[in-house]
């Protein structure tokens, strides 16, 4: 079947009142960026929807890309016919006969937008429906719960027909809900948190902490591959800030407070990230924390760690089980990269018994005793390298053994 158009329907953004226009413009730009490789396409915006004109471009590869664009609730491939009864009947029958799985029941839902058309909407339901029934004897009409609904939109320039609705990714267009920084480790959880943040319309930039030379180039490459995948879902250039954490981590280890080192590391990471957020005008920090998953993700630990920064901490995975997170990671294409067994900075100096309920007063006292603590934070911010990744860069994620440690963020 050679379709002429794709009808795209928007999701939650239709509830945005006065901001609706801005959201729809952003949605249109997002779709055009995602479909930029398909140079033949043109676009027509109507209220709450968008038509994509295919111009001989095959429908299937365009549909595959559209499925991953946030803000789209559903879309349909569309046939166009002359606004004449026999032409509409011919295309309607072709649509029904080309169905991958022949339905048992159907209904016609016609809408006469162009009023000079000689047949009303109800009359068209009957005229087209009877024509289809004569040609496909095993088919019956069910107006309440049909297997297939054949939709006909009659406009002046053409009549548009479709009988398939493909679910979209939902959510909001990229950047419509503000900007935040994502704490991206090399594990399973934080890429999923980034995906969910992007789905809710956040413009994300990722922050990764490394402790070179204790951590390897392979660990860095692994994080870059994960960021590339997130760039695909962002549909826009994606920044990855690589922060050298070696000096700060070494100083924290020298305090001989083994049970508190993870707590202090994470507090330092949040403080550094908050400074980067100020530099890059981000209003929140997204983490991959899941309640009770590791020692630093107990309620007591998260309370002490969270007090290190003032920005909102957004935790999309907080109430999810590990299996649920893994399932999403597999769906979005990050799992195989996340389980590669390359160390990250959080696996260094790992204590045998990290505190699950650290004392805030003790932690603050230890931090206050560290000479040049604020300067160490500033040095880490100043040492940050930024990589800009684009969605069309190829992925090179090989499969591997499971990582020995999981996400800290």
């Amino acid at each position: 079947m050679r379709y002429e158009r794709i009808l795209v329907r928007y999701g939650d953004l239709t509830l945005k009142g006065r901001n609706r226009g801005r959201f729809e413009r952003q949605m249109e730009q997002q779709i055009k960026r995602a479909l930029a490789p398909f140079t033949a396409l043109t676009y027509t915006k109507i209220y709450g929807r968008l038509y994509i004109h295919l111009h001989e471009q095959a429908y299937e590869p365009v549909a595959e890309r559209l499925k991953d664009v946030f803000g789209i609730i559903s879309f349909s491939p569309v046939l166009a016919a002359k606004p004449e009864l026999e032409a509409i009947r011919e295309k309607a029958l072709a649509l029904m006969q080309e169905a991958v799985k022949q339905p048992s029941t159907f209904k016609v839902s016609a809408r006469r937008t162009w009023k000079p058309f000689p047949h009303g909407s109800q009359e068209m339901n009957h005229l087209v429906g009877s024509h289809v029934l004569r040609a496909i004897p095993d088919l019956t009409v069910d107006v309440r719960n049909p297997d297939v609904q054949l939709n006909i939109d009659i406009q002046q320039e053409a009549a548009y027909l479709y009988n398939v609705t493909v679910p979209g990714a939902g959510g909001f267009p990229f950047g419509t809900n503000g900007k935040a920084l994502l704490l991206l480790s090399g594990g399973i959880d934080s890429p999923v948190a980034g995906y969910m943040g992007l789905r809710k319309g956040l413009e994300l930039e990722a922050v990764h902490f490394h402790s070179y030379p204790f951590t390897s180039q392979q660990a860095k490459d692994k994080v870059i591959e994960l960021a590339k995948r997130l760039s695909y879902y962002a549909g826009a250039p994606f920044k990855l800030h690589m922060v050298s954490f070696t000096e700060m981590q070494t100083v924290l280890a020298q305090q001989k407070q083994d049970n508190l080192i993870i707590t202090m590391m994470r507090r330092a990471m949040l403080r550094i990230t908050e400074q980067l957020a100020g530099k890059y005008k981000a209003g929140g920090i997204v983490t991959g924390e899941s309640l009770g998953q590791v020692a630093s993700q107990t309620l007591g630990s998260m309370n002490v760690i969270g007090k290190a920064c003032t920005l909102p901490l957004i935790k999309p995975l907080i109430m999810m089980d590990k299996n649920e997170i893994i399932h999403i990671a597999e769906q979005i294409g990050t799992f195989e990269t996340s389980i590669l067994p390359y160390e990250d900075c959080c696996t260094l100096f790992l204590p045998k018994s990290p505190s699950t309920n650290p004392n805030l007063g003790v932690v603050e006292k230890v931090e206050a005793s560290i000479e040049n603590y604020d300067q160490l934070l500033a040095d880490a911010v100043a040492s940050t390298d930024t990589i800009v990744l684009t969605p069309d860069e190829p992925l090179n994620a090989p499969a591997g053994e499971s990582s020995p440690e999981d996400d800290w963020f």
Side-chain angles (χ1 to χ4, degrees), residues 126-377:
H126 173 73
L127 290 171
V128 175
S130 59
H131 180 72
V132 172
L133 285 171
R134 283 194 294 272
I136 309 177
D138 294 335
L139 197 61
T140 59
V141 173
D142 184 343
V143 296
R144 295 184 181 276
N145 188 29
D147 293 340
V148 168
Q149 178 167 314
L150 174 58
N151 299 278
I152 305 171
D153 182 12
I154 303 168
Q155 300 187 24
Q156 183 174 4
E157 75 279 6
Y160 302 105
L161 303 90
Y162 61 91
N163 62 353
V164 171
T165 298
V166 181
F172 294 92
F174 176 76
T176 50
N177 277 329
K179 182 176 180 178
L181 297 186
L182 166 69
L183 289 169
L184 183 65
S185 73
I188 297 169
D189 298 350
S190 56
V192 175
Y195 167 84
M196 296 179 75
L198 290 168
R199 186 177 181 275
K200 292 302 286 184
L202 285 174
E203 176 188 353
L204 289 183
E205 296 181 9
V207 178
H208 177 72
F209 292 87
H210 66 85
S211 288
Y212 185 82
F214 300 115
T215 53
S216 66
Q217 181 64 35
Q218 291 170 311
K220 177 182 176 181
D221 293 343
K222 172 182 173 181
V223 171
I224 291 174
E225 288 297 324
L226 292 171
K228 282 183 184 178
R229 191 59 182 162
L230 292 176
S231 175
Y232 167 80
Y233 289 105
F238 189 85
K239 289 184 178 178
L240 172 61
H241 305 290
M242 307 289 286
V243 182
S244 175
F245 201 55
T246 312
E247 186 66 23
M248 172 61 82
Q249 195 168 16
T250 303
V251 170
L252 293 177
Q254 291 170 348
Q255 303 312 304
K256 305 301 182 185
Q257 298 285 339
D258 288 356
N259 63 324
L260 294 178
I261 189 169
I262 296 300
T263 302
M264 293 190 295
M265 282 169 49
R266 297 198 49 157
R267 283 167 60 87
M269 289 176 175
L270 284 181
R271 286 174 168 134
I272 293 166
T273 303
E274 189 166 51
Q275 291 189 35
L276 290 171
K279 182 177 180 180
Y280 296 106
K281 303 185 185 311
I285 299 173
V286 179
T287 80
E289 291 166 294
S290 175
L291 184 61
Q293 185 163 257
V294 292
S296 64
Q297 295 174 17
T298 63
L299 192 58
S301 289
M302 287 193 291
N303 182 37
V304 172
I305 292 166
K307 290 185 183 303
C309 77
T310 59
L311 284 177
L313 294 175
I314 304 166
K315 305 177 181 182
L317 316 184
I318 194 66
M319 293 300 177
M320 296 177 67
D321 293 336
K322 192 67 178 182
N323 285 340
E324 295 174 294
I325 299 169
I326 289 174
H327 179 64
I328 296 175
E330 290 172 333
Q331 285 185 320
I332 66 175
T334 58
F335 181 74
E336 292 298 326
T337 303
S338 290
I339 62 174
L340 292 172
Y342 305 133
E343 77 292 341
D344 60 37
C345 69
C346 291
T347 64
L348 303 175
F349 309 115
L350 197 63
K352 291 182 179 178
S353 300
S355 175
T356 57
N357 190 26
N359 183 293
L360 179 61
V362 173
V363 172
E364 290 178 334
K365 186 176 180 179
V366 175
E367 289 173 342
S369 70
I370 298 174
E371 187 176 359
N372 297 325
Y373 182 80
D374 289 341
Q375 187 59 50
L376 288 169
L377 296 176

Side-chain angles (χ1 to χ4, degrees), residues 10 23-24 63 99 106 113 118 125 147 169 218 341 370 379 386 401:
Y10 302 152
F23 274 60
E24 288 193 358
F106 86 119
T113 306
N125 291 343
D147 293 340
Q218 291 170 311
I370 298 174
D379 290 345
T386 298
E401 301 173 6

